[in-house]
Amino acid sequence: MAGDPVPAPNMRDLMAAVAYVLLHWGWLEEEVHARIKAIEPDRELSEGSLWFHWREVEPEAYQQVRGNIQRLVDVRNCLAHGLCGANADPRSGSEAHVVCRTGAGRRLFKMSELERVADALHVARNDVRDRRV
């Protein structure tokens, strides 16, 4: 009903935010892959990092995008390689968040930050796809 408070995010909402970050990362990598193939169709991409290949075939575009998304790369890497906890109790009054293990300790990412990261990855993907870089 109109005027009813919006329920606080729960664990399902938090995990969806994590999934959005990872999915947007995958889509960004697909655009980078397509860009490499458009420039060098015969390039074998099975070995090494996709980003390494892009740096070789289009260094200026690579530098621009990679420089703009370095913070996003760090968040994605933490989620993909160190995700170890989550808290999303709607009754707690605190924002839902995940915890990642890193070499330097633990990092906490609030749901609002995950949503901003997913949005920024979406913008980066569009920049790569639309060749604005």
Side-chain angles (χ1 to χ4, degrees):
M1 287 186 159
D4 286 344
V6 175
N10 59 29
M11 188 63 74
R12 185 179 306 244
D13 300 322
L14 178 60
M15 291 301 98
V18 170
Y20 284 136
V21 169
L22 297 176
L23 186 56
H24 279 289
W25 179 263
W27 286 336
L28 173 60
E29 284 195 339
E30 282 298 305
E31 292 298 340
V32 169
H33 184 271
R35 192 163 176 140
I36 293 168
K37 284 302 199 177
I39 296 166
E40 286 189 20
D42 296 329
R43 181 177 272 265
E44 180 60 48
L45 298 177
S46 61
E47 293 184 29
S49 164
L50 180 69
W51 297 92
F52 172 80
H53 289 288
W54 193 26
R55 183 177 61 208
E56 285 188 337
V57 301
E58 200 174 25
E60 289 178 16
Y62 164 84
Q63 283 296 101
Q64 183 180 354
V65 169
R66 194 64 184 215
N68 289 342
I69 68 166
Q70 191 55 51
R71 182 186 66 80
L72 309 176
V73 172
D74 293 341
V75 173
R76 179 269 175 192
N77 287 343
C78 278
L79 294 174
H81 304 292
L83 185 62
C84 65
N87 185 326
D89 182 355
R91 299 168 300 224
S92 72
S94 63
E95 186 173 358
H97 63 274
V98 295
V99 179
C100 295
R101 183 179 51 261
T102 71
R106 294 179 180 257
R107 287 181 67 185
L108 183 142
F109 298 104
K110 293 181 179 180
M111 186 166 161
S112 58
E113 182 177 4
L114 296 173
E115 291 169 339
R116 286 191 302 274
V117 167
D119 290 346
L121 286 169
H122 175 74
V123 169
R125 173 187 177 214
N126 287 342
D127 287 346
V128 171
R129 184 192 61 224
D130 297 341
R131 300 184 187 266
R132 291 186 291 212
V133 291

